[in-house]
Each structure stands twice: as structure tokens, then as C-alpha cells.
């Protein structure tokens, strides 16, 4: 009996260890993917989109605060793959762990829902989870570079801006995609699969053209995002936004298409402005559409219930779930 009672207690540490390891490996894999494309600003190397921040915030929202250790371990693995373990590394480790945790705490404080079915959820993710919380990681990281003499103090703000925007883009683009994938319960109907396949084919043809054409055609992606948001809400719009962001980042780091013949700072500004406006459009538009559809369904359901009540009252019957006294009233 003692062994049976103790089994759940043994399972919890084992499950937590597996979850921590899975989060760490996911963070590390996202970090290695992010490091495949880099830009240089004021002599500092940074990634235009840092996916690990999106992975970290999504893991916290899905599994809770217990995943912080996995985030810290993943951040440590990424840092150690780039440099040796030094005191300054511990500061970066704290900043990279604390920023997603702060994002999670602020989002939970305002009643954030993982389905992103309300406009307020989209706004909270943008302004609290991305723009506000990521101030911590960028300030700590760039501040340590200045304090250790690895960065000139005059270059603080350009590098800080690049670091902050890269972390924020990770939350804006990666976190919604992971939340959508976690919430998927049933496959699409056959008719929806046909439309989804058509949207995918259009994206595969249009996005490389818009991001690699020497003529500035980046605006062509917005009708595609609107189509995806109208028909597939968050799942469609954010997957399209993720693919577009990847292709734009490749074009920017290769300095081709609309990013050709630009200085490094101009490339950073143009890429981050495009990624930011595109992610905001996809996220907020899909949230508005989903909220309106849910409101319409609630109104239709209430009207149907009212019709059923009136039919029962007209027939002289007591509506289901109501007492005779309620019907008299």
C-alpha cells in the first residue's frame, strides 16, 4: 500500500523533468534556427527574429510557470554554443529567462486567454507580452555588453533597439502559431482543405516574389493575410505571417530584392518595420474577426432559445428547465 500511495509522488518529479528537458530542447532548437540568419548593427551581431522568446512565452502560457527551469536551461545551451561560460553569460541567462516569465505574469494578470479569441488578448500579447516584457532582456543584454567593454556606449541605442525588436518579433510571430497548434482538435472539412490548399499555393508563389523581387512588392502579402484571417482566423493568418517573415528575413540577410543596395541599418529598419506591421495585421485582424463571429453565434443561440421559449408559452406548455412560477412571471 505504501508503494501504491507513493507512486504519484514519484511520477510528478519525473514528469516535471521530462517537461523541463522538452522545453529546453525546444528553446535550443529555436535558437539554432534563429542563428542561421543574422544582421550586423554597430559591430554587434543580432537576429532579426529571435524564435526562442516566442517558444518560451508559449510554453509558459500552455504549461505554466513550472517551465521556467526549462527556459533557463535552453538559454544556457544556446549561450554555451556561442561562447564560453563567463560571469557576463549568467547576466544574459537571467535576462533571457526573466523576460518571458514577466510576459507570462503580466498576461495572466490581465486575464489573457490562449485561444486569442478576443481583441483584448491580441492587444495584450502585443503590448505586454512582446513590447513591454522584452525590454528586460534587451536592456540587460546590451547593458552587459557596454559594462564589459565589448560595445561602445555610443552604440547602445541602435544595438538595444535591434535586440529589443528581434525578441519582440519572436513573441509576435512564433507564440500565436504555437498556441494555435496546441489548440487544434479536429481536422478541417474537405471543402476547407481545398481552400486551405489554394491559399498555401498562392502563398508559396506570392511571398517569394514579393520578398525577392528587385521591385518593391512587399505590399502584395497583405491581401493574402486578409484572406487567411477572414477564412481561417488565427491559424491561417499567423502561419502565413510566419512564412512571410522567414522569407523576408532570408532576403534581408542576403541583401536581395527590396533590401538590395541598402545600408545595414536601413536593412534592419525596413525588415523590422515590415515584420512588425505584418504580424500586427495578422494577429489583430484575426482576433477581431474571431471575436465578432463568437458574438454572432452567442446572439444566434440566445435568439434560438427565446424562440423555443415563446413556442412553449404559445402552446401553453412549461419551457424545459423552467418552473411554473417562472413561466407565469
Amino acid at each position: 500500500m505504501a508503494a501504491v500511495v507513493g507512486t504519484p509522488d514519484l511520477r510528478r518529479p519525473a514528469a516535471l523533468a521530462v517537461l523541463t528537458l522538452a522545453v529546453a530542447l525546444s528553446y535550443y532548437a529555436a535558437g539554432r534556427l534563429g542563428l542561421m540568419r543574422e544582421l550586423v548593427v554597430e559591430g554587434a551581431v543580432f537576429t532579426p527574429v529571435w524564435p526562442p522568446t516566442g517558444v518560451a512565452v508559449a510554453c509558459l502560457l500552455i504549461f505554466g510557470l513550472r517551465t521556467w527551469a526549462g527556459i533557463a536551461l535552453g538559454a544556457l545551451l544556446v549561450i554555451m554554443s556561442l561562447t564560453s561560460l563567463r560571469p557576463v553569460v549568467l547576466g544574459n541567462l537571467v535576462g533571457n529567462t526573466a523576460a518571458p516569465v514577466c510576459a507570462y505574469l503580466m498576461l495572466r494578470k490581465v486575464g489573457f486567454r490562449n485561444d486569442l479569441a478576443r481583441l483584448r488578448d491580441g492587444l495584450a500579447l502585443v503590448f505586454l507580452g512582446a513590447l513591454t516584457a522584452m525590454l528586460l532582456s534587451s536592456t540587460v543584454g546590451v547593458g552587459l555588453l557596454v559594462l564589459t567593454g565589448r560595445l561602445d556606449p555610443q552604440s547602445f541605442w541602435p544595438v538595444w533597439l535591434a535586440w529589443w525588436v528581434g525578441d519582440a518579433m519572436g513573441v509576435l510571430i512564433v507564440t500565436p502559431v504555437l498556441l494555435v497548434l496546441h489548440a487544434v482538435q479536429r481536422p478541417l472539412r474537405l471543402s476547407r482543405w481545398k481552400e486551405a490548399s489554394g491559399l498555401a499555393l498562392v502563398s508559396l508563389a506570392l511571398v517569394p516574389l514579393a520578398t525577392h523581387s528587385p521591385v518593391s512588392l512587399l505590399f502584395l502579402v497583405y491581401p493574402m493575410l486578409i484572406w487567411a484571417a477572414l477564412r481561417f482566423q488565427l491559424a491561417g493568418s499567423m502561419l502565413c505571417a510566419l512564412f512571410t517573415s522567414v522569407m523576408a528575413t532570408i532576403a534581408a540577410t542576403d541583401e536581395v530584392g527590396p533590401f538590395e543596395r541598402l545600408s545595414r541599418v536601413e536593412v534592419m529598419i525596413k525588415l523590422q518595420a515590415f515584420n512588425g506591421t505584418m504580424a500586427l495585421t495578422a494577429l489583430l485582424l484575426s482576433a477581431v474577426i474571431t471575436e465578432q463571429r463568437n458574438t454572432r453565434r452567442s446572439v444566434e443561440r440566445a435568439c434560438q432559445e427565446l424562440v423555443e421559449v415563446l413556442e412553449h408559452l404559445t402552446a401553453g406548455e412549461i419551457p424545459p428547465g423552467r418552473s411554473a412560477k417562472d413561466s407565469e412571471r
Side-chain angles (χ1 to χ4, degrees):
M1 179 64 70
V4 174
V5 173
T7 301
D9 295 331
L10 293 176
R11 287 178 180 174
R12 287 173 186 164
L16 181 59
V18 171
L19 178 62
T20 300
L21 183 60
V23 171
L25 293 177
S26 300
Y27 190 104
Y28 176 75
R32 299 306 302 177
L33 288 175
L35 291 171
M36 293 176 66
R37 292 289 169 170
E38 299 174 340
L39 291 175
V40 179
V41 175
E42 298 294 334
V45 180
F46 76 99
T47 55
V49 178
W50 186 235
T53 57
V55 172
V57 174
C59 289
L60 287 165
L61 290 172
I62 294 171
F63 301 109
L65 197 58
R66 57 183 177 168
T67 57
W68 73 268
I71 296 170
L73 179 58
L76 180 61
L77 292 176
V78 173
I79 294 173
M80 291 184 64
S81 68
L82 300 174
T83 183
S84 59
L85 192 60
R86 300 192 303 271
V88 67
V89 170
L90 298 178
N92 285 326
L93 178 62
V94 171
N96 291 337
T97 305
V101 171
C102 288
Y104 166 79
L105 294 176
M106 287 189 292
L107 291 174
R108 285 291 175 248
K109 185 69 175 179
V110 298
F112 177 83
R113 289 189 345 203
N114 289 357
D115 57 4
L116 287 165
R118 303 172 300 176
L119 178 59
R120 59 176 294 185
D121 297 325
L123 293 173
L125 184 64
V126 172
F127 291 102
L128 296 180
L131 300 182
T132 301
M134 296 306 119
L135 291 171
L136 182 59
S137 58
S138 59
T139 302
V140 171
V142 182
L144 287 173
L145 291 177
V146 174
L147 291 176
T148 55
R150 300 178 62 187
L151 181 68
D152 191 287
Q154 296 180 352
S155 302
F156 176 87
W157 289 112
V159 177
W160 177 88
L161 180 62
W163 191 314
W164 173 57
V165 174
D167 285 358
M169 287 300 103
V171 177
L172 288 180
I173 295 174
V174 177
T175 298
V177 173
L178 295 179
L179 292 179
V180 166
L181 293 177
H182 179 260
V184 171
Q185 296 179 347
R186 61 179 183 276
L188 295 174
R189 299 189 301 272
L190 179 60
S191 60
R192 300 300 301 279
W193 271 115
K194 293 180 180 178
E195 185 177 1
S197 300
L199 176 60
L201 291 176
V202 171
S203 302
L204 291 174
L206 182 63
V207 173
L209 173 64
T211 55
H212 286 74
S213 173
V215 182
S216 185
L217 298 176
L218 292 176
F219 62 90
L220 291 179
V221 304
Y222 288 99
M224 179 195 67
L225 290 177
I226 294 173
W227 175 17
L230 287 173
R231 299 298 295 162
F232 301 98
Q233 286 77 56
L234 190 67
S237 64
M238 292 312 303
L239 286 174
C240 288
L242 177 62
F243 176 61
T244 305
S245 176
V246 170
M247 295 304 296
T249 302
I250 292 174
T253 52
D254 290 341
E255 298 184 357
V256 298
F259 304 97
E260 191 176 3
R261 294 189 297 272
L262 298 178
S263 67
R264 291 176 176 178
V265 175
E266 290 172 339
V267 168
M268 180 200 72
I269 294 174
K270 188 169 186 175
L271 174 64
Q272 302 298 41
F274 172 71
N275 280 339
T277 54
M278 180 194 57
L280 286 174
T281 300
L283 179 61
L284 298 184
L285 179 60
S286 59
V288 169
I289 293 172
T290 302
E291 187 175 40
Q292 289 181 344
R293 290 195 173 191
N294 291 340
T295 301
R296 186 186 65 186
R297 290 170 184 168
S298 299
V299 172
E300 291 175 349
R301 193 180 304 112
C303 291
Q304 182 63 32
E305 293 176 356
L306 180 60
V307 168
E308 293 176 357
V309 170
L310 291 176
E311 289 176 350
H312 284 288
L313 291 177
T314 303
E317 302 175 357
I318 299 176
R322 296 176 181 271
S323 64
K325 186 178 293 185
D326 291 335
S327 299
E328 292 174 0
R329 290 178 181 174

